[in-house]
Amino acid sequence: EAGVAQSPRYKIIEKRQSVAFWCNPISGHATLYWYQQILGQGPKLLIQFQNNGVVDDSQLPKDRFSAERLKGVDSTLKIQPAKLEDSAVYLCASSTTVGGVSTDTQYFGPGTRLTVL
Amino acid sequence: AQSVTQLDSHVSVSEGTPVLLRCNYSSSYSPSLFWYVQHPNKGLQLLLKYTSAATLVKGINGFEAEFKKSETSFHLTKPSAHMSDAAEYFCVVTRNTGGFKTIFGAGTRLFVKA
């Protein structure tokens, strides 16, 4: 079974530029998560999708971050414009559902390391 | 509200000695609890999870954790450390509120000395 795929693995940009990350979850997983992991900290949930609907985006900085999952499969996370403090690893995870309810075991991709100069 | 506290930011052990990584949680509801491991430049890997079945949970690579409701703890242990265990470990609490609310601890870096 293929795991969660993310690209790119590394990205370096200057502040005020835009950047986008892509995630393809495990086949059949209805729930998709984006996390931000700043160096030395635990991952922080940015947004959670179930199929193509948003379940939780309470910690997403909506003035500069956006995410979509239009067809309920792969997803894109965008930052526009980037700030220095956005330097972090962006992790994507997915989980399956049972009876329409998300199970709680999440499977993580390798992450995208973003450096903002 | 729920939270998770990993009591040690760094733990150092010698190879072959026991490992103890401590985690305390708080949750208004019956939580699910997890331990994940993150090796350098690798993705997070699930070690084990507790979901209100047995209080002693066995995971991969010889790790286990015990859920103690009275102490609100979920400490991770391993009888004998191996060099390959050196990594960052995260304690995670989730609860289903009509969509899971997931909170990670700050992490514990495990160092294993030869």
PDB file of all heavy atoms in Angstrom, chain B residues 10-37:
ATOM      1  N   HIS B  10      14.425  16.178  26.751  1.00  0.00           N
ATOM      2  CA  HIS B  10      15.505  15.292  26.332  1.00  0.00           C
ATOM      3  C   HIS B  10      15.655  14.160  27.351  1.00  0.00           C
ATOM      4  O   HIS B  10      15.550  14.407  28.560  1.00  0.00           O
ATOM      5  CB  HIS B  10      16.846  16.039  26.252  1.00  0.00           C
ATOM      6  CG  HIS B  10      16.845  17.161  25.263  1.00  0.00           C
ATOM      7  ND1 HIS B  10      16.417  18.424  25.577  1.00  0.00           N
ATOM      8  CD2 HIS B  10      17.225  17.193  23.956  1.00  0.00           C
ATOM      9  CE1 HIS B  10      16.537  19.198  24.507  1.00  0.00           C
ATOM     10  NE2 HIS B  10      17.025  18.496  23.517  1.00  0.00           N
ATOM     11  N   VAL B  11      15.914  12.956  26.838  1.00  0.00           N
ATOM     12  CA  VAL B  11      16.226  11.814  27.688  1.00  0.00           C
ATOM     13  C   VAL B  11      17.440  11.112  27.079  1.00  0.00           C
ATOM     14  O   VAL B  11      17.474  10.882  25.875  1.00  0.00           O
ATOM     15  CB  VAL B  11      15.037  10.832  27.780  1.00  0.00           C
ATOM     16  CG1 VAL B  11      15.452   9.529  28.449  1.00  0.00           C
ATOM     17  CG2 VAL B  11      13.877  11.464  28.539  1.00  0.00           C
ATOM     18  N   SER B  12      18.404  10.797  27.918  1.00  0.00           N
ATOM     19  CA  SER B  12      19.604  10.115  27.448  1.00  0.00           C
ATOM     20  C   SER B  12      19.760   8.801  28.206  1.00  0.00           C
ATOM     21  O   SER B  12      19.704   8.792  29.441  1.00  0.00           O
ATOM     22  CB  SER B  12      20.835  10.993  27.661  1.00  0.00           C
ATOM     23  OG  SER B  12      21.989  10.357  27.160  1.00  0.00           O
ATOM     24  N   VAL B  13      19.933   7.700  27.478  1.00  0.00           N
ATOM     25  CA  VAL B  13      20.122   6.384  28.101  1.00  0.00           C
ATOM     26  C   VAL B  13      21.288   5.686  27.424  1.00  0.00           C
ATOM     27  O   VAL B  13      21.677   6.058  26.302  1.00  0.00           O
ATOM     28  CB  VAL B  13      18.850   5.508  27.985  1.00  0.00           C
ATOM     29  CG1 VAL B  13      17.662   6.180  28.661  1.00  0.00           C
ATOM     30  CG2 VAL B  13      18.539   5.186  26.538  1.00  0.00           C
ATOM     31  N   SER B  14      21.801   4.688  28.069  1.00  0.00           N
ATOM     32  CA  SER B  14      22.823   3.845  27.454  1.00  0.00           C
ATOM     33  C   SER B  14      22.160   2.672  26.750  1.00  0.00           C
ATOM     34  O   SER B  14      21.080   2.212  27.158  1.00  0.00           O
ATOM     35  CB  SER B  14      23.804   3.337  28.514  1.00  0.00           C
ATOM     36  OG  SER B  14      24.487   4.412  29.115  1.00  0.00           O
ATOM     37  N   GLU B  15      22.796   2.217  25.703  1.00  0.00           N
ATOM     38  CA  GLU B  15      22.269   1.072  24.977  1.00  0.00           C
ATOM     39  C   GLU B  15      22.105  -0.107  25.921  1.00  0.00           C
ATOM     40  O   GLU B  15      22.985  -0.387  26.736  1.00  0.00           O
ATOM     41  CB  GLU B  15      23.202   0.706  23.820  1.00  0.00           C
ATOM     42  CG  GLU B  15      22.613  -0.288  22.831  1.00  0.00           C
ATOM     43  CD  GLU B  15      23.516  -0.511  21.623  1.00  0.00           C
ATOM     44  OE1 GLU B  15      24.729  -0.276  21.733  1.00  0.00           O
ATOM     45  OE2 GLU B  15      22.996  -0.927  20.575  1.00  0.00           O
ATOM     46  N   GLY B  16      20.952  -0.778  25.821  1.00  0.00           N
ATOM     47  CA  GLY B  16      20.701  -1.937  26.664  1.00  0.00           C
ATOM     48  C   GLY B  16      20.008  -1.618  27.971  1.00  0.00           C
ATOM     49  O   GLY B  16      19.602  -2.534  28.684  1.00  0.00           O
ATOM     50  N   THR B  17      19.842  -0.343  28.297  1.00  0.00           N
ATOM     51  CA  THR B  17      19.157   0.050  29.536  1.00  0.00           C
ATOM     52  C   THR B  17      17.715   0.435  29.228  1.00  0.00           C
ATOM     53  O   THR B  17      17.376   0.737  28.080  1.00  0.00           O
ATOM     54  CB  THR B  17      19.874   1.204  30.242  1.00  0.00           C
ATOM     55  OG1 THR B  17      19.829   2.370  29.404  1.00  0.00           O
ATOM     56  CG2 THR B  17      21.328   0.848  30.530  1.00  0.00           C
ATOM     57  N   PRO B  18      16.855   0.480  30.270  1.00  0.00           N
ATOM     58  CA  PRO B  18      15.441   0.788  30.011  1.00  0.00           C
ATOM     59  C   PRO B  18      15.209   2.238  29.576  1.00  0.00           C
ATOM     60  O   PRO B  18      15.962   3.142  29.932  1.00  0.00           O
ATOM     61  CB  PRO B  18      14.770   0.518  31.362  1.00  0.00           C
ATOM     62  CG  PRO B  18      15.708  -0.377  32.095  1.00  0.00           C
ATOM     63  CD  PRO B  18      17.082   0.023  31.635  1.00  0.00           C
ATOM     64  N   VAL B  19      14.115   2.400  28.839  1.00  0.00           N
ATOM     65  CA  VAL B  19      13.691   3.724  28.388  1.00  0.00           C
ATOM     66  C   VAL B  19      12.359   4.074  29.048  1.00  0.00           C
ATOM     67  O   VAL B  19      11.460   3.229  29.131  1.00  0.00           O
ATOM     68  CB  VAL B  19      13.498   3.743  26.853  1.00  0.00           C
ATOM     69  CG1 VAL B  19      12.943   5.092  26.394  1.00  0.00           C
ATOM     70  CG2 VAL B  19      14.809   3.440  26.145  1.00  0.00           C
ATOM     71  N   LEU B  20      12.256   5.310  29.533  1.00  0.00           N
ATOM     72  CA  LEU B  20      10.984   5.825  30.056  1.00  0.00           C
ATOM     73  C   LEU B  20      10.795   7.233  29.517  1.00  0.00           C
ATOM     74  O   LEU B  20      11.584   8.133  29.809  1.00  0.00           O
ATOM     75  CB  LEU B  20      10.997   5.857  31.595  1.00  0.00           C
ATOM     76  CG  LEU B  20       9.811   6.597  32.242  1.00  0.00           C
ATOM     77  CD1 LEU B  20       8.494   5.903  31.924  1.00  0.00           C
ATOM     78  CD2 LEU B  20      10.007   6.714  33.754  1.00  0.00           C
ATOM     79  N   LEU B  21       9.739   7.432  28.735  1.00  0.00           N
ATOM     80  CA  LEU B  21       9.375   8.754  28.236  1.00  0.00           C
ATOM     81  C   LEU B  21       8.000   9.077  28.819  1.00  0.00           C
ATOM     82  O   LEU B  21       7.046   8.342  28.626  1.00  0.00           O
ATOM     83  CB  LEU B  21       9.333   8.763  26.706  1.00  0.00           C
ATOM     84  CG  LEU B  21      10.596   8.285  25.989  1.00  0.00           C
ATOM     85  CD1 LEU B  21      10.434   8.415  24.479  1.00  0.00           C
ATOM     86  CD2 LEU B  21      11.826   9.041  26.458  1.00  0.00           C
ATOM     87  N   ARG B  22       7.917  10.219  29.504  1.00  0.00           N
ATOM     88  CA  ARG B  22       6.727  10.510  30.289  1.00  0.00           C
ATOM     89  C   ARG B  22       5.766  11.448  29.574  1.00  0.00           C
ATOM     90  O   ARG B  22       6.190  12.423  28.937  1.00  0.00           O
ATOM     91  CB  ARG B  22       7.140  11.107  31.636  1.00  0.00           C
ATOM     92  CG  ARG B  22       8.005  10.159  32.474  1.00  0.00           C
ATOM     93  CD  ARG B  22       8.347  10.785  33.801  1.00  0.00           C
ATOM     94  NE  ARG B  22       9.197  11.949  33.656  1.00  0.00           N
ATOM     95  CZ  ARG B  22       9.393  12.832  34.634  1.00  0.00           C
ATOM     96  NH1 ARG B  22       8.793  12.682  35.798  1.00  0.00           N
ATOM     97  NH2 ARG B  22      10.203  13.848  34.433  1.00  0.00           N
ATOM     98  N   CYS B  23       4.469  11.151  29.734  1.00  0.00           N
ATOM     99  CA  CYS B  23       3.431  11.952  29.111  1.00  0.00           C
ATOM    100  C   CYS B  23       2.239  12.053  30.052  1.00  0.00           C
ATOM    101  O   CYS B  23       1.738  11.036  30.523  1.00  0.00           O
ATOM    102  CB  CYS B  23       2.989  11.327  27.790  1.00  0.00           C
ATOM    103  SG  CYS B  23       1.563  12.118  27.015  1.00  0.00           S
ATOM    104  N   ASN B  24       1.790  13.253  30.318  1.00  0.00           N
ATOM    105  CA  ASN B  24       0.551  13.485  31.051  1.00  0.00           C
ATOM    106  C   ASN B  24      -0.440  14.179  30.127  1.00  0.00           C
ATOM    107  O   ASN B  24      -0.053  14.988  29.283  1.00  0.00           O
ATOM    108  CB  ASN B  24       0.787  14.347  32.296  1.00  0.00           C
ATOM    109  CG  ASN B  24       1.466  13.568  33.398  1.00  0.00           C
ATOM    110  OD1 ASN B  24       1.647  12.359  33.317  1.00  0.00           O
ATOM    111  ND2 ASN B  24       1.857  14.271  34.445  1.00  0.00           N
ATOM    112  N   TYR B  25      -1.700  13.897  30.306  1.00  0.00           N
ATOM    113  CA  TYR B  25      -2.719  14.485  29.444  1.00  0.00           C
ATOM    114  C   TYR B  25      -3.855  15.032  30.283  1.00  0.00           C
ATOM    115  O   TYR B  25      -4.015  14.690  31.456  1.00  0.00           O
ATOM    116  CB  TYR B  25      -3.270  13.429  28.473  1.00  0.00           C
ATOM    117  CG  TYR B  25      -4.128  12.415  29.169  1.00  0.00           C
ATOM    118  CD1 TYR B  25      -5.505  12.573  29.255  1.00  0.00           C
ATOM    119  CD2 TYR B  25      -3.553  11.308  29.797  1.00  0.00           C
ATOM    120  CE1 TYR B  25      -6.287  11.663  29.940  1.00  0.00           C
ATOM    121  CE2 TYR B  25      -4.321  10.396  30.488  1.00  0.00           C
ATOM    122  CZ  TYR B  25      -5.692  10.573  30.556  1.00  0.00           C
ATOM    123  OH  TYR B  25      -6.463   9.680  31.240  1.00  0.00           O
ATOM    124  N   SER B  26      -4.635  15.876  29.673  1.00  0.00           N
ATOM    125  CA  SER B  26      -5.910  16.267  30.262  1.00  0.00           C
ATOM    126  C   SER B  26      -6.939  16.292  29.148  1.00  0.00           C
ATOM    127  O   SER B  26      -6.643  16.710  28.027  1.00  0.00           O
ATOM    128  CB  SER B  26      -5.822  17.635  30.952  1.00  0.00           C
ATOM    129  OG  SER B  26      -5.670  18.658  29.998  1.00  0.00           O
ATOM    130  N   SER B  27      -8.121  15.797  29.472  1.00  0.00           N
ATOM    131  CA  SER B  27      -9.184  15.758  28.476  1.00  0.00           C
ATOM    132  C   SER B  27     -10.522  15.693  29.187  1.00  0.00           C
ATOM    133  O   SER B  27     -10.671  14.970  30.174  1.00  0.00           O
ATOM    134  CB  SER B  27      -9.016  14.547  27.559  1.00  0.00           C
ATOM    135  OG  SER B  27     -10.073  14.492  26.616  1.00  0.00           O
ATOM    136  N   SER B  28     -11.457  16.456  28.696  1.00  0.00           N
ATOM    137  CA  SER B  28     -12.798  16.459  29.275  1.00  0.00           C
ATOM    138  C   SER B  28     -13.584  15.214  28.894  1.00  0.00           C
ATOM    139  O   SER B  28     -14.595  14.897  29.503  1.00  0.00           O
ATOM    140  CB  SER B  28     -13.563  17.700  28.819  1.00  0.00           C
ATOM    141  OG  SER B  28     -12.855  18.872  29.158  1.00  0.00           O
ATOM    142  N   TYR B  29     -13.115  14.533  27.881  1.00  0.00           N
ATOM    143  CA  TYR B  29     -13.798  13.349  27.388  1.00  0.00           C
ATOM    144  C   TYR B  29     -12.824  12.188  27.394  1.00  0.00           C
ATOM    145  O   TYR B  29     -11.632  12.365  27.576  1.00  0.00           O
ATOM    146  CB  TYR B  29     -14.304  13.590  25.958  1.00  0.00           C
ATOM    147  CG  TYR B  29     -15.266  14.735  25.839  1.00  0.00           C
ATOM    148  CD1 TYR B  29     -14.804  16.038  25.708  1.00  0.00           C
ATOM    149  CD2 TYR B  29     -16.644  14.528  25.879  1.00  0.00           C
ATOM    150  CE1 TYR B  29     -15.676  17.102  25.600  1.00  0.00           C
ATOM    151  CE2 TYR B  29     -17.523  15.580  25.774  1.00  0.00           C
ATOM    152  CZ  TYR B  29     -17.033  16.873  25.638  1.00  0.00           C
ATOM    153  OH  TYR B  29     -17.915  17.913  25.542  1.00  0.00           O
ATOM    154  N   SER B  30     -13.327  11.003  27.188  1.00  0.00           N
ATOM    155  CA  SER B  30     -12.446   9.852  27.102  1.00  0.00           C
ATOM    156  C   SER B  30     -11.589   9.989  25.851  1.00  0.00           C
ATOM    157  O   SER B  30     -12.096   9.973  24.735  1.00  0.00           O
ATOM    158  CB  SER B  30     -13.274   8.560  27.021  1.00  0.00           C
ATOM    159  OG  SER B  30     -14.007   8.377  28.208  1.00  0.00           O
ATOM    160  N   PRO B  31     -10.300  10.127  26.028  1.00  0.00           N
ATOM    161  CA  PRO B  31      -9.439  10.397  24.873  1.00  0.00           C
ATOM    162  C   PRO B  31      -8.915   9.121  24.238  1.00  0.00           C
ATOM    163  O   PRO B  31      -8.938   8.052  24.823  1.00  0.00           O
ATOM    164  CB  PRO B  31      -8.287  11.173  25.504  1.00  0.00           C
ATOM    165  CG  PRO B  31      -8.139  10.541  26.853  1.00  0.00           C
ATOM    166  CD  PRO B  31      -9.547  10.154  27.289  1.00  0.00           C
ATOM    167  N   SER B  32      -8.441   9.268  23.030  1.00  0.00           N
ATOM    168  CA  SER B  32      -7.545   8.284  22.446  1.00  0.00           C
ATOM    169  C   SER B  32      -6.144   8.844  22.594  1.00  0.00           C
ATOM    170  O   SER B  32      -5.927  10.044  22.435  1.00  0.00           O
ATOM    171  CB  SER B  32      -7.865   8.046  20.971  1.00  0.00           C
ATOM    172  OG  SER B  32      -9.137   7.464  20.837  1.00  0.00           O
ATOM    173  N   LEU B  33      -5.202   7.993  22.911  1.00  0.00           N
ATOM    174  CA  LEU B  33      -3.825   8.425  23.151  1.00  0.00           C
ATOM    175  C   LEU B  33      -2.885   7.656  22.257  1.00  0.00           C
ATOM    176  O   LEU B  33      -3.075   6.457  22.036  1.00  0.00           O
ATOM    177  CB  LEU B  33      -3.451   8.215  24.618  1.00  0.00           C
ATOM    178  CG  LEU B  33      -4.239   9.061  25.614  1.00  0.00           C
ATOM    179  CD1 LEU B  33      -4.143   8.461  27.012  1.00  0.00           C
ATOM    180  CD2 LEU B  33      -3.725  10.486  25.617  1.00  0.00           C
ATOM    181  N   PHE B  34      -1.866   8.331  21.783  1.00  0.00           N
ATOM    182  CA  PHE B  34      -0.932   7.745  20.835  1.00  0.00           C
ATOM    183  C   PHE B  34       0.495   8.130  21.212  1.00  0.00           C
ATOM    184  O   PHE B  34       0.737   9.158  21.845  1.00  0.00           O
ATOM    185  CB  PHE B  34      -1.161   8.292  19.413  1.00  0.00           C
ATOM    186  CG  PHE B  34      -2.533   8.090  18.867  1.00  0.00           C
ATOM    187  CD1 PHE B  34      -3.589   8.889  19.282  1.00  0.00           C
ATOM    188  CD2 PHE B  34      -2.777   7.110  17.928  1.00  0.00           C
ATOM    189  CE1 PHE B  34      -4.860   8.712  18.772  1.00  0.00           C
ATOM    190  CE2 PHE B  34      -4.048   6.926  17.410  1.00  0.00           C
ATOM    191  CZ  PHE B  34      -5.092   7.724  17.829  1.00  0.00           C
ATOM    192  N   TRP B  35       1.418   7.302  20.772  1.00  0.00           N
ATOM    193  CA  TRP B  35       2.822   7.682  20.701  1.00  0.00           C
ATOM    194  C   TRP B  35       3.278   7.519  19.251  1.00  0.00           C
ATOM    195  O   TRP B  35       3.033   6.471  18.627  1.00  0.00           O
ATOM    196  CB  TRP B  35       3.695   6.810  21.600  1.00  0.00           C
ATOM    197  CG  TRP B  35       3.709   7.239  23.028  1.00  0.00           C
ATOM    198  CD1 TRP B  35       2.961   6.737  24.058  1.00  0.00           C
ATOM    199  CD2 TRP B  35       4.534   8.251  23.602  1.00  0.00           C
ATOM    200  NE1 TRP B  35       3.276   7.378  25.238  1.00  0.00           N
ATOM    201  CE2 TRP B  35       4.237   8.316  24.987  1.00  0.00           C
ATOM    202  CE3 TRP B  35       5.516   9.115  23.104  1.00  0.00           C
ATOM    203  CZ2 TRP B  35       4.867   9.188  25.858  1.00  0.00           C
ATOM    204  CZ3 TRP B  35       6.138   9.984  23.967  1.00  0.00           C
ATOM    205  CH2 TRP B  35       5.827  10.030  25.337  1.00  0.00           C
ATOM    206  N   TYR B  36       3.929   8.596  18.739  1.00  0.00           N
ATOM    207  CA  TYR B  36       4.523   8.565  17.413  1.00  0.00           C
ATOM    208  C   TYR B  36       6.030   8.782  17.568  1.00  0.00           C
ATOM    209  O   TYR B  36       6.484   9.473  18.489  1.00  0.00           O
ATOM    210  CB  TYR B  36       3.970   9.686  16.533  1.00  0.00           C
ATOM    211  CG  TYR B  36       2.605   9.421  15.940  1.00  0.00           C
ATOM    212  CD1 TYR B  36       1.447   9.716  16.666  1.00  0.00           C
ATOM    213  CD2 TYR B  36       2.464   8.905  14.653  1.00  0.00           C
ATOM    214  CE1 TYR B  36       0.193   9.497  16.109  1.00  0.00           C
ATOM    215  CE2 TYR B  36       1.215   8.687  14.098  1.00  0.00           C
ATOM    216  CZ  TYR B  36       0.093   8.990  14.830  1.00  0.00           C
ATOM    217  OH  TYR B  36      -1.156   8.768  14.277  1.00  0.00           O
ATOM    218  N   VAL B  37       6.793   8.248  16.644  1.00  0.00           N
ATOM    219  CA  VAL B  37       8.234   8.448  16.611  1.00  0.00           C
ATOM    220  C   VAL B  37       8.604   9.142  15.297  1.00  0.00           C
ATOM    221  O   VAL B  37       7.996   8.894  14.260  1.00  0.00           O
ATOM    222  CB  VAL B  37       8.996   7.106  16.760  1.00  0.00           C
ATOM    223  CG1 VAL B  37       8.676   6.138  15.623  1.00  0.00           C
ATOM    224  CG2 VAL B  37      10.502   7.344  16.840  1.00  0.00           C
TER     225      VAL B  37
END
